[in-house]
């Protein structure tokens, strides 16, 4: 690890590290024959690699993918996954709000995602699918 590599972003990862694997696994399209637990385990390994070997830029790129999944799920909550989308959306939104306390441009770079997540979370709360978020 380079002495110049900034590690301050790692202080923001505990909640996403705990909450996102299962939620994101629910939102991701699955290959035929793959189970939700196996997809969640793969998601957990991906997050672990990002945290142990990644950079803030790569971490924010991953969270941009999650944002896209949440936004897509919010557009059709009747398709299922709205509870998982709400969890993922709120976790990433909280993370992105905390970026304001870190040095660098992460907070500004995440602004479009924050706006998209705010709309998506509001939509998911206003129109939860049956059996979804309450």
């Amino acid at each position: 690890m380079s002495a110049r590599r900034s590690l301050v972003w790692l202080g923001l990862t505990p909640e996403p590290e705990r909450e996102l694997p299962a939620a994101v696994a629910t939102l991701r399209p699955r290959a035929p024959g793959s189970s939700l637990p196996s997809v969640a385990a793969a998601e957990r390994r991906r997050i672990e690699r990002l945290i142990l070997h990644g950079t803030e830029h790569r971490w924010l790129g991953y969270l941009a993918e999650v944002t896209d999944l949440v936004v897509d799920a919010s557009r059709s909550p009747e398709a299922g996954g709205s509870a998982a989308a709400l969890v993922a959306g709120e976790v990433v939104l909280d993370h992105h709000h905390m970026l304001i306390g870190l040095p660098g441009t992460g907070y500004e770079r995440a602004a479009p995602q924050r706006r998209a997540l705010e709309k998506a979370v509001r939509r998911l709360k206003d129109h939860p699918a049956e059996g979804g978020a309450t």
Side-chain angles (χ1 to χ4, degrees), residues 20-22 24-26 35-49:
L20 289 180
V24 173
T26 301
S35 69
L36 185 58
S38 68
V39 175
E43 201 67 35
R44 190 170 289 105
R45 286 189 301 274
R46 182 176 181 201
I47 289 171
E48 183 177 297
R49 278 191 309 275

Side-chain angles (χ1 to χ4, degrees), residues 4-130:
R4 296 178 42 96
R5 180 176 167 222
S6 173
L7 302 176
V8 296
W9 65 276
L10 291 172
L12 300 180
T13 62
E15 186 182 15
E17 188 177 356
R18 268 192 319 273
E19 301 292 332
L20 289 180
V24 173
T26 301
L27 298 173
R28 284 201 191 279
R30 287 194 292 279
S34 64
S35 69
L36 185 58
S38 68
V39 175
E43 201 67 35
R44 190 170 289 105
R45 286 189 301 274
R46 182 176 181 201
I47 289 171
E48 183 177 297
R49 278 191 309 275
L50 280 167
I51 290 170
L52 294 176
H53 305 291
T55 61
E56 179 182 13
H57 181 76
R58 286 179 52 206
W59 175 247
L60 292 176
Y62 170 76
L63 295 180
E65 285 180 36
V66 175
T67 297
D68 290 343
L69 292 169
V70 170
V71 169
D72 288 348
S74 76
R75 290 184 177 134
S76 56
E78 65 281 350
S82 62
L86 185 58
V87 167
E90 289 180 330
V91 166
V92 175
L93 191 55
D94 286 347
H95 176 281
H96 284 357
H97 283 134
M98 289 188 289
L99 287 170
I100 197 167
L102 299 183
T105 61
Y107 185 78
E108 291 82 17
R109 285 195 334 256
Q113 289 179 44
R114 272 194 312 279
R115 286 190 297 273
L117 285 166
E118 287 165 351
K119 288 180 186 175
V121 165
R122 193 168 37 253
R123 210 175 307 144
L124 288 163
K125 286 181 176 181
D126 289 346
H127 303 288
E130 183 151 337

